[in-house]
PDB file of all heavy atoms in Angstrom:
ATOM      1  N   SER A   1      34.953 107.879 105.532  1.00  0.00           N
ATOM      2  CA  SER A   1      34.261 108.078 106.816  1.00  0.00           C
ATOM      3  C   SER A   1      32.778 108.353 106.599  1.00  0.00           C
ATOM      4  O   SER A   1      31.910 107.808 107.307  1.00  0.00           O
ATOM      5  CB  SER A   1      34.892 109.225 107.601  1.00  0.00           C
ATOM      6  OG  SER A   1      36.250 108.976 107.836  1.00  0.00           O
ATOM      7  N   SER A   2      32.452 109.200 105.613  1.00  0.00           N
ATOM      8  CA  SER A   2      31.035 109.516 105.361  1.00  0.00           C
ATOM      9  C   SER A   2      30.281 108.317 104.815  1.00  0.00           C
ATOM     10  O   SER A   2      29.114 108.084 105.150  1.00  0.00           O
ATOM     11  CB  SER A   2      30.918 110.714 104.400  1.00  0.00           C
ATOM     12  OG  SER A   2      31.625 110.465 103.194  1.00  0.00           O
ATOM     13  N   LEU A   3      30.949 107.519 103.942  1.00  0.00           N
ATOM     14  CA  LEU A   3      30.308 106.281 103.477  1.00  0.00           C
ATOM     15  C   LEU A   3      30.090 105.284 104.597  1.00  0.00           C
ATOM     16  O   LEU A   3      29.092 104.551 104.593  1.00  0.00           O
ATOM     17  CB  LEU A   3      31.173 105.643 102.375  1.00  0.00           C
ATOM     18  CG  LEU A   3      31.150 106.353 101.001  1.00  0.00           C
ATOM     19  CD1 LEU A   3      32.253 105.809 100.084  1.00  0.00           C
ATOM     20  CD2 LEU A   3      29.786 106.178 100.326  1.00  0.00           C
ATOM     21  N   MET A   4      30.986 105.276 105.569  1.00  0.00           N
ATOM     22  CA  MET A   4      30.833 104.365 106.712  1.00  0.00           C
ATOM     23  C   MET A   4      29.612 104.777 107.537  1.00  0.00           C
ATOM     24  O   MET A   4      28.856 103.933 108.030  1.00  0.00           O
ATOM     25  CB  MET A   4      32.100 104.397 107.568  1.00  0.00           C
ATOM     26  CG  MET A   4      32.073 103.437 108.757  1.00  0.00           C
ATOM     27  SD  MET A   4      33.720 103.274 109.555  1.00  0.00           S
ATOM     28  CE  MET A   4      34.004 104.955 110.086  1.00  0.00           C
ATOM     29  N   VAL A   5      29.421 106.110 107.716  1.00  0.00           N
ATOM     30  CA  VAL A   5      28.252 106.608 108.439  1.00  0.00           C
ATOM     31  C   VAL A   5      26.976 106.203 107.735  1.00  0.00           C
ATOM     32  O   VAL A   5      26.031 105.707 108.350  1.00  0.00           O
ATOM     33  CB  VAL A   5      28.327 108.138 108.587  1.00  0.00           C
ATOM     34  CG1 VAL A   5      27.006 108.679 109.149  1.00  0.00           C
ATOM     35  CG2 VAL A   5      29.484 108.528 109.494  1.00  0.00           C
ATOM     36  N   VAL A   6      26.931 106.379 106.403  1.00  0.00           N
ATOM     37  CA  VAL A   6      25.752 106.036 105.610  1.00  0.00           C
ATOM     38  C   VAL A   6      25.496 104.508 105.707  1.00  0.00           C
ATOM     39  O   VAL A   6      24.350 104.068 105.872  1.00  0.00           O
ATOM     40  CB  VAL A   6      25.939 106.447 104.140  1.00  0.00           C
ATOM     41  CG1 VAL A   6      24.824 105.874 103.260  1.00  0.00           C
ATOM     42  CG2 VAL A   6      25.948 107.958 104.020  1.00  0.00           C
ATOM     43  N   ASP A   7      26.564 103.726 105.594  1.00  0.00           N
ATOM     44  CA  ASP A   7      26.446 102.277 105.590  1.00  0.00           C
ATOM     45  C   ASP A   7      25.930 101.726 106.904  1.00  0.00           C
ATOM     46  O   ASP A   7      25.254 100.693 106.952  1.00  0.00           O
ATOM     47  CB  ASP A   7      27.812 101.678 105.256  1.00  0.00           C
ATOM     48  CG  ASP A   7      27.712 100.254 104.724  1.00  0.00           C
ATOM     49  OD1 ASP A   7      26.657  99.916 104.138  1.00  0.00           O
ATOM     50  OD2 ASP A   7      28.661  99.461 104.925  1.00  0.00           O
ATOM     51  N   HIS A   8      26.214 102.397 108.007  1.00  0.00           N
ATOM     52  CA  HIS A   8      25.817 101.905 109.329  1.00  0.00           C
ATOM     53  C   HIS A   8      24.614 102.622 109.916  1.00  0.00           C
ATOM     54  O   HIS A   8      24.228 102.412 111.058  1.00  0.00           O
ATOM     55  CB  HIS A   8      26.998 102.017 110.312  1.00  0.00           C
ATOM     56  CG  HIS A   8      28.131 101.077 110.010  1.00  0.00           C
ATOM     57  ND1 HIS A   8      29.081 101.316 109.059  1.00  0.00           N
ATOM     58  CD2 HIS A   8      28.443  99.873 110.562  1.00  0.00           C
ATOM     59  CE1 HIS A   8      29.929 100.313 109.017  1.00  0.00           C
ATOM     60  NE2 HIS A   8      29.575  99.412 109.925  1.00  0.00           N
ATOM     61  N   SER A   9      23.996 103.498 109.113  1.00  0.00           N
ATOM     62  CA  SER A   9      22.808 104.215 109.580  1.00  0.00           C
ATOM     63  C   SER A   9      21.546 103.559 109.055  1.00  0.00           C
ATOM     64  O   SER A   9      21.490 103.143 107.885  1.00  0.00           O
ATOM     65  CB  SER A   9      22.875 105.684 109.136  1.00  0.00           C
ATOM     66  OG  SER A   9      21.723 106.368 109.522  1.00  0.00           O
ATOM     67  N   GLU A  10      20.526 103.446 109.901  1.00  0.00           N
ATOM     68  CA  GLU A  10      19.275 102.831 109.492  1.00  0.00           C
ATOM     69  C   GLU A  10      18.395 103.786 108.705  1.00  0.00           C
ATOM     70  O   GLU A  10      17.456 103.369 108.030  1.00  0.00           O
ATOM     71  CB  GLU A  10      18.539 102.267 110.716  1.00  0.00           C
ATOM     72  CG  GLU A  10      19.292 101.147 111.414  1.00  0.00           C
ATOM     73  CD  GLU A  10      18.543 100.616 112.613  1.00  0.00           C
ATOM     74  OE1 GLU A  10      17.443 101.143 112.904  1.00  0.00           O
ATOM     75  OE2 GLU A  10      19.014  99.669 113.259  1.00  0.00           O
ATOM     76  N   LYS A  11      18.620 105.067 108.847  1.00  0.00           N
ATOM     77  CA  LYS A  11      17.804 106.054 108.128  1.00  0.00           C
ATOM     78  C   LYS A  11      18.714 106.943 107.276  1.00  0.00           C
ATOM     79  O   LYS A  11      19.925 107.017 107.478  1.00  0.00           O
ATOM     80  CB  LYS A  11      17.010 106.939 109.104  1.00  0.00           C
ATOM     81  CG  LYS A  11      17.860 107.715 110.091  1.00  0.00           C
ATOM     82  CD  LYS A  11      16.959 108.541 111.030  1.00  0.00           C
ATOM     83  CE  LYS A  11      17.829 109.364 111.989  1.00  0.00           C
ATOM     84  NZ  LYS A  11      16.965 110.177 112.893  1.00  0.00           N
ATOM     85  N   GLN A  12      18.106 107.587 106.277  1.00  0.00           N
ATOM     86  CA  GLN A  12      18.883 108.414 105.367  1.00  0.00           C
ATOM     87  C   GLN A  12      19.344 109.713 106.068  1.00  0.00           C
ATOM     88  O   GLN A  12      18.539 110.461 106.629  1.00  0.00           O
ATOM     89  CB  GLN A  12      18.024 108.783 104.154  1.00  0.00           C
ATOM     90  CG  GLN A  12      18.834 109.392 103.000  1.00  0.00           C
ATOM     91  CD  GLN A  12      17.965 109.646 101.780  1.00  0.00           C
ATOM     92  OE1 GLN A  12      16.982 110.382 101.857  1.00  0.00           O
ATOM     93  NE2 GLN A  12      18.329 109.034 100.670  1.00  0.00           N
ATOM     94  N   LEU A  13      20.639 109.959 106.031  1.00  0.00           N
ATOM     95  CA  LEU A  13      21.229 111.165 106.641  1.00  0.00           C
ATOM     96  C   LEU A  13      21.689 112.100 105.531  1.00  0.00           C
ATOM     97  O   LEU A  13      22.689 111.805 104.841  1.00  0.00           O
ATOM     98  CB  LEU A  13      22.409 110.799 107.521  1.00  0.00           C
ATOM     99  CG  LEU A  13      22.107 109.853 108.703  1.00  0.00           C
ATOM    100  CD1 LEU A  13      23.388 109.437 109.416  1.00  0.00           C
ATOM    101  CD2 LEU A  13      21.144 110.520 109.706  1.00  0.00           C
ATOM    102  N   MET A  14      20.953 113.192 105.353  1.00  0.00           N
ATOM    103  CA  MET A  14      21.252 114.097 104.240  1.00  0.00           C
ATOM    104  C   MET A  14      22.674 114.690 104.354  1.00  0.00           C
ATOM    105  O   MET A  14      23.353 114.849 103.352  1.00  0.00           O
ATOM    106  CB  MET A  14      20.222 115.224 104.194  1.00  0.00           C
ATOM    107  CG  MET A  14      20.372 116.151 102.975  1.00  0.00           C
ATOM    108  SD  MET A  14      20.381 115.267 101.391  1.00  0.00           S
ATOM    109  CE  MET A  14      18.704 114.594 101.396  1.00  0.00           C
ATOM    110  N   TRP A  15      23.087 115.016 105.565  1.00  0.00           N
ATOM    111  CA  TRP A  15      24.406 115.631 105.743  1.00  0.00           C
ATOM    112  C   TRP A  15      25.529 114.656 105.303  1.00  0.00           C
ATOM    113  O   TRP A  15      26.551 115.059 104.733  1.00  0.00           O
ATOM    114  CB  TRP A  15      24.653 116.054 107.178  1.00  0.00           C
ATOM    115  CG  TRP A  15      24.753 114.953 108.196  1.00  0.00           C
ATOM    116  CD1 TRP A  15      23.752 114.420 108.944  1.00  0.00           C
ATOM    117  CD2 TRP A  15      25.940 114.227 108.537  1.00  0.00           C
ATOM    118  NE1 TRP A  15      24.220 113.417 109.764  1.00  0.00           N
ATOM    119  CE2 TRP A  15      25.581 113.265 109.523  1.00  0.00           C
ATOM    120  CE3 TRP A  15      27.277 114.278 108.120  1.00  0.00           C
ATOM    121  CZ2 TRP A  15      26.473 112.390 110.099  1.00  0.00           C
ATOM    122  CZ3 TRP A  15      28.168 113.407 108.675  1.00  0.00           C
ATOM    123  CH2 TRP A  15      27.786 112.483 109.647  1.00  0.00           C
ATOM    124  N   ALA A  16      25.297 113.367 105.549  1.00  0.00           N
ATOM    125  CA  ALA A  16      26.301 112.368 105.164  1.00  0.00           C
ATOM    126  C   ALA A  16      26.342 112.206 103.635  1.00  0.00           C
ATOM    127  O   ALA A  16      27.420 112.041 103.058  1.00  0.00           O
ATOM    128  CB  ALA A  16      25.989 111.038 105.834  1.00  0.00           C
ATOM    129  N   ILE A  17      25.147 112.252 103.008  1.00  0.00           N
ATOM    130  CA  ILE A  17      25.098 112.184 101.536  1.00  0.00           C
ATOM    131  C   ILE A  17      25.826 113.377 100.916  1.00  0.00           C
ATOM    132  O   ILE A  17      26.646 113.218  99.986  1.00  0.00           O
ATOM    133  CB  ILE A  17      23.642 112.130 101.061  1.00  0.00           C
ATOM    134  CG1 ILE A  17      22.957 110.848 101.556  1.00  0.00           C
ATOM    135  CG2 ILE A  17      23.567 112.214  99.549  1.00  0.00           C
ATOM    136  CD1 ILE A  17      21.473 110.793 101.268  1.00  0.00           C
ATOM    137  N   VAL A  18      25.540 114.551 101.448  1.00  0.00           N
ATOM    138  CA  VAL A  18      26.178 115.771 100.930  1.00  0.00           C
ATOM    139  C   VAL A  18      27.693 115.690 101.143  1.00  0.00           C
ATOM    140  O   VAL A  18      28.491 116.069 100.254  1.00  0.00           O
ATOM    141  CB  VAL A  18      25.603 117.027 101.618  1.00  0.00           C
ATOM    142  CG1 VAL A  18      26.416 118.255 101.237  1.00  0.00           C
ATOM    143  CG2 VAL A  18      24.133 117.199 101.259  1.00  0.00           C
ATOM    144  N   LEU A  19      28.123 115.187 102.305  1.00  0.00           N
ATOM    145  CA  LEU A  19      29.544 115.079 102.583  1.00  0.00           C
ATOM    146  C   LEU A  19      30.215 114.097 101.624  1.00  0.00           C
ATOM    147  O   LEU A  19      31.357 114.348 101.185  1.00  0.00           O
ATOM    148  CB  LEU A  19      29.757 114.607 104.028  1.00  0.00           C
ATOM    149  CG  LEU A  19      31.205 114.588 104.534  1.00  0.00           C
ATOM    150  CD1 LEU A  19      31.838 115.963 104.433  1.00  0.00           C
ATOM    151  CD2 LEU A  19      31.286 114.034 105.957  1.00  0.00           C
ATOM    152  N   CYS A  20      29.522 113.015 101.289  1.00  0.00           N
ATOM    153  CA  CYS A  20      30.072 112.062 100.292  1.00  0.00           C
ATOM    154  C   CYS A  20      30.328 112.757  98.966  1.00  0.00           C
ATOM    155  O   CYS A  20      31.395 112.579  98.324  1.00  0.00           O
ATOM    156  CB  CYS A  20      29.113 110.892 100.091  1.00  0.00           C
ATOM    157  SG  CYS A  20      29.071 109.693 101.416  1.00  0.00           S
ATOM    158  N   VAL A  21      29.333 113.524  98.499  1.00  0.00           N
ATOM    159  CA  VAL A  21      29.480 114.222  97.231  1.00  0.00           C
ATOM    160  C   VAL A  21      30.598 115.269  97.288  1.00  0.00           C
ATOM    161  O   VAL A  21      31.426 115.347  96.377  1.00  0.00           O
ATOM    162  CB  VAL A  21      28.128 114.872  96.826  1.00  0.00           C
ATOM    163  CG1 VAL A  21      28.304 115.721  95.548  1.00  0.00           C
ATOM    164  CG2 VAL A  21      27.046 113.830  96.616  1.00  0.00           C
ATOM    165  N   VAL A  22      30.638 116.015  98.391  1.00  0.00           N
ATOM    166  CA  VAL A  22      31.658 117.070  98.538  1.00  0.00           C
ATOM    167  C   VAL A  22      33.074 116.459  98.573  1.00  0.00           C
ATOM    168  O   VAL A  22      33.990 116.953  97.935  1.00  0.00           O
ATOM    169  CB  VAL A  22      31.396 117.891  99.827  1.00  0.00           C
ATOM    170  CG1 VAL A  22      32.582 118.817 100.129  1.00  0.00           C
ATOM    171  CG2 VAL A  22      30.119 118.720  99.658  1.00  0.00           C
ATOM    172  N   MET A  23      33.241 115.357  99.312  1.00  0.00           N
ATOM    173  CA  MET A  23      34.543 114.719  99.413  1.00  0.00           C
ATOM    174  C   MET A  23      34.979 114.125  98.061  1.00  0.00           C
ATOM    175  O   MET A  23      36.149 114.129  97.721  1.00  0.00           O
ATOM    176  CB  MET A  23      34.526 113.609 100.489  1.00  0.00           C
ATOM    177  CG  MET A  23      34.487 114.117 101.910  1.00  0.00           C
ATOM    178  SD  MET A  23      35.984 115.054 102.371  1.00  0.00           S
ATOM    179  CE  MET A  23      35.319 116.712 102.421  1.00  0.00           C
ATOM    180  N   THR A  24      34.017 113.627  97.303  1.00  0.00           N
ATOM    181  CA  THR A  24      34.314 113.106  95.975  1.00  0.00           C
ATOM    182  C   THR A  24      34.801 114.230  95.044  1.00  0.00           C
ATOM    183  O   THR A  24      35.787 114.099  94.331  1.00  0.00           O
ATOM    184  CB  THR A  24      33.086 112.433  95.337  1.00  0.00           C
ATOM    185  OG1 THR A  24      32.630 111.365  96.186  1.00  0.00           O
ATOM    186  CG2 THR A  24      33.400 111.847  93.975  1.00  0.00           C
ATOM    187  N   LEU A  25      34.092 115.394  95.124  1.00  0.00           N
ATOM    188  CA  LEU A  25      34.484 116.542  94.318  1.00  0.00           C
ATOM    189  C   LEU A  25      35.862 117.056  94.748  1.00  0.00           C
ATOM    190  O   LEU A  25      36.685 117.440  93.910  1.00  0.00           O
ATOM    191  CB  LEU A  25      33.427 117.645  94.429  1.00  0.00           C
ATOM    192  CG  LEU A  25      32.028 117.333  93.883  1.00  0.00           C
ATOM    193  CD1 LEU A  25      31.108 118.490  94.084  1.00  0.00           C
ATOM    194  CD2 LEU A  25      32.092 116.942  92.424  1.00  0.00           C
ATOM    195  N   LEU A  26      36.108 117.059  96.065  1.00  0.00           N
ATOM    196  CA  LEU A  26      37.394 117.521  96.574  1.00  0.00           C
ATOM    197  C   LEU A  26      38.520 116.571  96.135  1.00  0.00           C
ATOM    198  O   LEU A  26      39.628 117.003  95.805  1.00  0.00           O
ATOM    199  CB  LEU A  26      37.362 117.610  98.105  1.00  0.00           C
ATOM    200  CG  LEU A  26      38.653 118.045  98.798  1.00  0.00           C
ATOM    201  CD1 LEU A  26      39.069 119.453  98.339  1.00  0.00           C
ATOM    202  CD2 LEU A  26      38.494 118.013 100.313  1.00  0.00           C
ATOM    203  N   PHE A  27      38.238 115.283  96.117  1.00  0.00           N
ATOM    204  CA  PHE A  27      39.231 114.301  95.728  1.00  0.00           C
ATOM    205  C   PHE A  27      39.648 114.497  94.267  1.00  0.00           C
ATOM    206  O   PHE A  27      40.857 114.559  93.959  1.00  0.00           O
ATOM    207  CB  PHE A  27      38.669 112.897  95.915  1.00  0.00           C
ATOM    208  CG  PHE A  27      39.536 111.785  95.375  1.00  0.00           C
ATOM    209  CD1 PHE A  27      40.776 111.529  95.938  1.00  0.00           C
ATOM    210  CD2 PHE A  27      39.117 111.016  94.301  1.00  0.00           C
ATOM    211  CE1 PHE A  27      41.618 110.508  95.453  1.00  0.00           C
ATOM    212  CE2 PHE A  27      39.939 110.008  93.791  1.00  0.00           C
ATOM    213  CZ  PHE A  27      41.169 109.761  94.362  1.00  0.00           C
ATOM    214  N   VAL A  28      38.678 114.617  93.359  1.00  0.00           N
ATOM    215  CA  VAL A  28      39.025 114.781  91.943  1.00  0.00           C
ATOM    216  C   VAL A  28      39.664 116.140  91.681  1.00  0.00           C
ATOM    217  O   VAL A  28      40.544 116.280  90.830  1.00  0.00           O
ATOM    218  CB  VAL A  28      37.810 114.552  91.026  1.00  0.00           C
ATOM    219  CG1 VAL A  28      37.287 113.120  91.144  1.00  0.00           C
ATOM    220  CG2 VAL A  28      36.693 115.558  91.272  1.00  0.00           C
ATOM    221  N   ALA A  29      39.242 117.170  92.451  1.00  0.00           N
ATOM    222  CA  ALA A  29      39.875 118.493  92.335  1.00  0.00           C
ATOM    223  C   ALA A  29      41.313 118.448  92.778  1.00  0.00           C
ATOM    224  O   ALA A  29      42.213 118.989  92.109  1.00  0.00           O
ATOM    225  CB  ALA A  29      39.081 119.507  93.164  1.00  0.00           C
ATOM    226  N   SER A  30      41.591 117.781  93.911  1.00  0.00           N
ATOM    227  CA  SER A  30      42.971 117.660  94.418  1.00  0.00           C
ATOM    228  C   SER A  30      43.827 116.891  93.436  1.00  0.00           C
ATOM    229  O   SER A  30      44.987 117.270  93.203  1.00  0.00           O
ATOM    230  CB  SER A  30      42.957 116.972  95.776  1.00  0.00           C
ATOM    231  OG  SER A  30      42.237 117.691  96.745  1.00  0.00           O
ATOM    232  N   PHE A  31      43.277 115.854  92.831  1.00  0.00           N
ATOM    233  CA  PHE A  31      44.012 115.048  91.862  1.00  0.00           C
ATOM    234  C   PHE A  31      44.356 115.909  90.637  1.00  0.00           C
ATOM    235  O   PHE A  31      45.487 115.935  90.163  1.00  0.00           O
ATOM    236  CB  PHE A  31      43.164 113.866  91.434  1.00  0.00           C
ATOM    237  CG  PHE A  31      43.776 113.023  90.335  1.00  0.00           C
ATOM    238  CD1 PHE A  31      44.683 112.025  90.650  1.00  0.00           C
ATOM    239  CD2 PHE A  31      43.463 113.240  89.016  1.00  0.00           C
ATOM    240  CE1 PHE A  31      45.248 111.255  89.630  1.00  0.00           C
ATOM    241  CE2 PHE A  31      44.005 112.468  87.991  1.00  0.00           C
ATOM    242  CZ  PHE A  31      44.926 111.483  88.310  1.00  0.00           C
ATOM    243  N   SER A  32      43.361 116.660  90.147  1.00  0.00           N
ATOM    244  CA  SER A  32      43.548 117.415  88.907  1.00  0.00           C
ATOM    245  C   SER A  32      44.475 118.597  89.043  1.00  0.00           C
ATOM    246  O   SER A  32      45.154 118.998  88.094  1.00  0.00           O
ATOM    247  CB  SER A  32      42.194 117.905  88.399  1.00  0.00           C
ATOM    248  OG  SER A  32      41.401 116.835  87.916  1.00  0.00           O
ATOM    249  N   ILE A  33      44.570 119.192  90.211  1.00  0.00           N
ATOM    250  CA  ILE A  33      45.384 120.387  90.384  1.00  0.00           C
ATOM    251  C   ILE A  33      46.879 120.061  90.465  1.00  0.00           C
ATOM    252  O   ILE A  33      47.725 120.965  90.407  1.00  0.00           O
ATOM    253  CB  ILE A  33      44.937 121.203  91.612  1.00  0.00           C
ATOM    254  CG1 ILE A  33      45.323 122.683  91.449  1.00  0.00           C
ATOM    255  CG2 ILE A  33      45.542 120.613  92.905  1.00  0.00           C
ATOM    256  CD1 ILE A  33      44.657 123.588  92.433  1.00  0.00           C
ATOM    257  N   GLY A  34      47.232 118.760  90.575  1.00  0.00           N
ATOM    258  CA  GLY A  34      48.641 118.424  90.681  1.00  0.00           C
ATOM    259  C   GLY A  34      48.995 117.050  90.156  1.00  0.00           C
ATOM    260  O   GLY A  34      49.656 116.908  89.118  1.00  0.00           O
ATOM    261  N   PHE A  35      48.539 116.020  90.840  1.00  0.00           N
ATOM    262  CA  PHE A  35      48.914 114.651  90.531  1.00  0.00           C
ATOM    263  C   PHE A  35      48.574 114.270  89.086  1.00  0.00           C
ATOM    264  O   PHE A  35      49.368 113.624  88.406  1.00  0.00           O
ATOM    265  CB  PHE A  35      48.212 113.684  91.505  1.00  0.00           C
ATOM    266  CG  PHE A  35      48.908 112.365  91.682  1.00  0.00           C
ATOM    267  CD1 PHE A  35      48.422 111.456  92.612  1.00  0.00           C
ATOM    268  CD2 PHE A  35      50.031 112.037  90.936  1.00  0.00           C
ATOM    269  CE1 PHE A  35      49.058 110.235  92.790  1.00  0.00           C
ATOM    270  CE2 PHE A  35      50.674 110.817  91.106  1.00  0.00           C
ATOM    271  CZ  PHE A  35      50.184 109.916  92.046  1.00  0.00           C
ATOM    272  N   GLY A  36      47.374 114.657  88.646  1.00  0.00           N
ATOM    273  CA  GLY A  36      46.922 114.297  87.293  1.00  0.00           C
ATOM    274  C   GLY A  36      47.872 114.751  86.229  1.00  0.00           C
ATOM    275  O   GLY A  36      48.452 113.934  85.460  1.00  0.00           O
ATOM    276  N   PRO A  37      48.092 116.076  86.087  1.00  0.00           N
ATOM    277  CA  PRO A  37      48.979 116.557  84.997  1.00  0.00           C
ATOM    278  C   PRO A  37      50.454 116.281  85.242  1.00  0.00           C
ATOM    279  O   PRO A  37      51.197 116.024  84.300  1.00  0.00           O
ATOM    280  CB  PRO A  37      48.688 118.062  84.943  1.00  0.00           C
ATOM    281  CG  PRO A  37      48.218 118.402  86.321  1.00  0.00           C
ATOM    282  CD  PRO A  37      47.444 117.214  86.798  1.00  0.00           C
ATOM    283  N   ILE A  38      50.898 116.300  86.486  1.00  0.00           N
ATOM    284  CA  ILE A  38      52.337 116.180  86.767  1.00  0.00           C
ATOM    285  C   ILE A  38      52.867 114.805  86.392  1.00  0.00           C
ATOM    286  O   ILE A  38      54.016 114.693  85.939  1.00  0.00           O
ATOM    287  CB  ILE A  38      52.630 116.504  88.241  1.00  0.00           C
ATOM    288  CG1 ILE A  38      52.482 118.020  88.470  1.00  0.00           C
ATOM    289  CG2 ILE A  38      54.030 116.045  88.651  1.00  0.00           C
ATOM    290  CD1 ILE A  38      52.583 118.440  89.911  1.00  0.00           C
ATOM    291  N   ALA A  39      52.069 113.763  86.520  1.00  0.00           N
ATOM    292  CA  ALA A  39      52.519 112.421  86.120  1.00  0.00           C
ATOM    293  C   ALA A  39      52.956 112.442  84.655  1.00  0.00           C
ATOM    294  O   ALA A  39      53.982 111.881  84.280  1.00  0.00           O
ATOM    295  CB  ALA A  39      51.423 111.385  86.354  1.00  0.00           C
ATOM    296  N   TRP A  40      52.153 113.079  83.799  1.00  0.00           N
ATOM    297  CA  TRP A  40      52.458 113.112  82.364  1.00  0.00           C
ATOM    298  C   TRP A  40      53.560 114.108  82.041  1.00  0.00           C
ATOM    299  O   TRP A  40      54.412 113.859  81.177  1.00  0.00           O
ATOM    300  CB  TRP A  40      51.187 113.423  81.572  1.00  0.00           C
ATOM    301  CG  TRP A  40      50.100 112.451  81.870  1.00  0.00           C
ATOM    302  CD1 TRP A  40      49.012 112.643  82.657  1.00  0.00           C
ATOM    303  CD2 TRP A  40      50.035 111.076  81.439  1.00  0.00           C
ATOM    304  NE1 TRP A  40      48.272 111.478  82.765  1.00  0.00           N
ATOM    305  CE2 TRP A  40      48.877 110.511  82.000  1.00  0.00           C
ATOM    306  CE3 TRP A  40      50.851 110.285  80.638  1.00  0.00           C
ATOM    307  CZ2 TRP A  40      48.503 109.181  81.791  1.00  0.00           C
ATOM    308  CZ3 TRP A  40      50.474 108.965  80.421  1.00  0.00           C
ATOM    309  CH2 TRP A  40      49.311 108.427  81.000  1.00  0.00           C
ATOM    310  N   VAL A  41      53.545 115.263  82.708  1.00  0.00           N
ATOM    311  CA  VAL A  41      54.579 116.275  82.478  1.00  0.00           C
ATOM    312  C   VAL A  41      55.953 115.689  82.902  1.00  0.00           C
ATOM    313  O   VAL A  41      56.928 115.675  82.143  1.00  0.00           O
ATOM    314  CB  VAL A  41      54.297 117.563  83.244  1.00  0.00           C
ATOM    315  CG1 VAL A  41      55.467 118.515  83.160  1.00  0.00           C
ATOM    316  CG2 VAL A  41      53.034 118.218  82.723  1.00  0.00           C
ATOM    317  N   TYR A  42      56.026 115.246  84.160  1.00  0.00           N
ATOM    318  CA  TYR A  42      57.276 114.796  84.729  1.00  0.00           C
ATOM    319  C   TYR A  42      57.770 113.507  84.046  1.00  0.00           C
ATOM    320  O   TYR A  42      58.960 113.375  83.717  1.00  0.00           O
ATOM    321  CB  TYR A  42      57.048 114.520  86.215  1.00  0.00           C
ATOM    322  CG  TYR A  42      58.264 114.517  87.089  1.00  0.00           C
ATOM    323  CD1 TYR A  42      58.682 115.664  87.759  1.00  0.00           C
ATOM    324  CD2 TYR A  42      59.024 113.371  87.258  1.00  0.00           C
ATOM    325  CE1 TYR A  42      59.795 115.676  88.569  1.00  0.00           C
ATOM    326  CE2 TYR A  42      60.138 113.351  88.060  1.00  0.00           C
ATOM    327  CZ  TYR A  42      60.524 114.507  88.710  1.00  0.00           C
ATOM    328  OH  TYR A  42      61.637 114.507  89.538  1.00  0.00           O
ATOM    329  N   GLY A  43      56.833 112.574  83.817  1.00  0.00           N
ATOM    330  CA  GLY A  43      57.192 111.300  83.215  1.00  0.00           C
ATOM    331  C   GLY A  43      57.743 111.428  81.786  1.00  0.00           C
ATOM    332  O   GLY A  43      58.577 110.607  81.364  1.00  0.00           O
TER     333      GLY A  43
END
């Protein structure tokens, strides 16, 4: 959603850039706290 806002905006939106970075960090954090290690443990 934040990348869509950036892609369709004619000017630079700092809040959208920050949201992109935050969502990326949240994504890798969510992956690492469960999905990442559990695939190898469980498998």
Side-chain angles (χ1 to χ4, degrees):
S1 301
S2 55
L3 285 168
M4 183 169 62
V5 171
V6 171
D7 201 29
H8 290 81
S9 177
E10 296 181 358
K11 60 180 181 179
Q12 192 177 60
L13 300 174
M14 185 55 64
W15 68 266
I17 296 173
V18 172
L19 186 59
C20 285
V21 175
V22 169
M23 287 296 107
T24 303
L25 296 179
L26 179 61
F27 173 67
V28 298
S30 298
F31 176 86
S32 289
I33 205 166
F35 203 175
I38 287 173
W40 303 103
V41 173
Y42 201 95

